Amino acid sequence: MLDDCWAEMARDGKGNLVPKKSTFPSGIKALADYVHSKGLKLGIYSDAGYFTCSKTMPGSLGHEEQDAKSFASWGIDYLKYDNCNNDGTKPTVRYPVMTRALMKTGHPIFFSLCEWGDMHPATWGAKVGNSWRTTNDISDKWDSMVSRADMNEVYAELARPGGWNDPDMLEVGNGGMTKDEYTVHFSIWAISKAPLLLGCDVRNMTKGTMDIIANKEVIAVNQDPLGVQAKKVRMEGDLEIWAGPLTGYRVAVLLVNRGPWRNSISAQWDDIGIPLNSIVKARDLWEHKTLKTHFVGNLTATMDSHACKMYILKPIS
């Protein structure tokens, strides 16, 4: 993802955005080709205003079709569209203009509405883009992370395949939280079907960071085709139970201890959508093991402060 400041301060004589020569001497098309050769996709940034948030490059307001054509011609796969320095009109007016411009190019580009939760984009974003920010910017702190999770969860029922709630990028690996806290962070984003966008320096990731972000079982919950965002089904003080259905009559469950002391949490079948008399097998997604015990009525686990347990539960009778 290229964020703000990738372009020169002025457009060229034809009004086109110009990649910053000192940073991208071969241009963005060459960069996109290189990224695609690695099996990856390239995202870029613009703004639904006259200038971007840094005020160091032009925004796309009034240049939507021209900029969309540039992005398509370069082979861009993802557009983050910010909300700074605009003309005062509502985002519900400005953002659809870029939607139409992107569609007109005929080139598929994931459209990320980054208007910070202004005007509750979850209520209108599905007709405009593929994801929408439900929160202000996240920071690499526990309180910031869990507050973004709380704000995002409010709109759980409005997410669906093709249109996702976005509580901002992942902070995993940036150093401001413990490994347990980053595990909670990644688990909540995954079960919430949030876009999993790494915000750390991928060139210098530790094994601990890799253990979190490369957990295929947790990623599979995020990518489950049913596409139902999990919700907090119970909150008992600092103890939370998150749950959501998966394909194959399975349920993803996340137990989170937000409190200062080690504690146990119980997930009751009637809270998480499993028939009351079911016998259930449980897969622990962070321990990578299927528990030998079968469970009836509930599952209870104990965890440290600011830690979690994540399971896939499947009734076997």
Side-chain angles (χ1 to χ4, degrees), residues 28-247:
I28 303 298
K29 175 68 166 63
L31 176 63
D33 290 345
Y34 173 78
V35 170
H36 293 155
S37 77
K38 300 296 182 183
L40 301 171
K41 295 186 176 184
L42 182 64
I44 206 165
Y45 168 98
S46 192
D47 185 275
Y50 297 118
F51 298 96
T52 62
C53 293
S54 68
K55 296 185 179 180
T56 62
M57 58 176 273
S60 290
L61 187 62
H63 292 265
E64 290 87 354
E65 284 202 14
Q66 188 170 15
D67 292 351
K69 285 179 183 176
S70 293
F71 302 148
S73 70
W74 295 338
I76 293 297
D77 304 292
Y78 179 111
L79 174 62
K80 173 184 173 182
Y81 205 45
D82 223 330
N83 196 29
C84 292
N85 302 305
N86 59 70
D87 60 0
T89 57
K90 295 178 179 180
T92 49
V93 173
R94 286 176 285 114
Y95 277 73
V97 181
M98 182 56 86
T99 304
R100 292 189 290 271
L102 292 172
M103 294 179 72
K104 194 172 179 179
T105 69
H107 177 74
I109 296 179
F110 185 107
F111 189 26
S112 170
L113 316 181
C114 183
E115 46 84 279
W116 331 308
D118 184 18
M119 292 191 67
H120 305 291
T123 62
W124 53 268
K127 294 180 179 179
V128 180
N130 303 109
S131 69
W132 41 85
R133 280 280 298 279
T134 52
T135 69
N136 285 331
D137 289 354
I138 194 172
S139 61
D140 188 20
K141 299 180 179 65
W142 169 261
D143 288 342
S144 173
M145 182 273 289
V146 293
S147 70
R148 299 314 181 263
D150 292 342
M151 286 186 270
N152 189 66
E153 191 266 347
V154 171
Y155 301 106
E157 293 178 355
L158 297 173
R160 66 196 72 134
W164 310 104
N165 293 315
D166 179 7
D168 206 3
M169 296 181 74
L170 292 160
E171 293 288 351
V172 181
N174 281 331
M177 290 184 255
T178 67
K179 185 174 182 181
D180 278 350
E181 289 172 339
Y182 281 139
T183 301
V184 172
H185 182 11
F186 196 73
S187 299
I188 293 177
W189 264 236
I191 203 169
S192 300
K193 305 301 189 289
L196 300 180
L197 301 171
L198 298 180
C200 65
D201 184 346
V202 297
R203 301 167 301 175
N204 299 297
M205 291 188 291
T206 65
K207 182 182 182 299
T209 295
M210 281 297 296
D211 288 344
I212 295 171
I213 66 165
N215 185 325
K216 292 182 179 180
E217 296 190 74
V218 175
I219 293 170
V221 170
N222 178 261
Q223 298 290 302
D224 184 75
L226 197 61
V228 176
Q229 180 175 329
K231 298 176 69 173
K232 276 190 271 191
V233 295
R234 292 292 292 270
M235 289 183 294
E236 300 174 8
D238 292 320
L239 309 179
E240 296 181 349
I241 302 162
W242 297 64
L246 302 173
T247 51

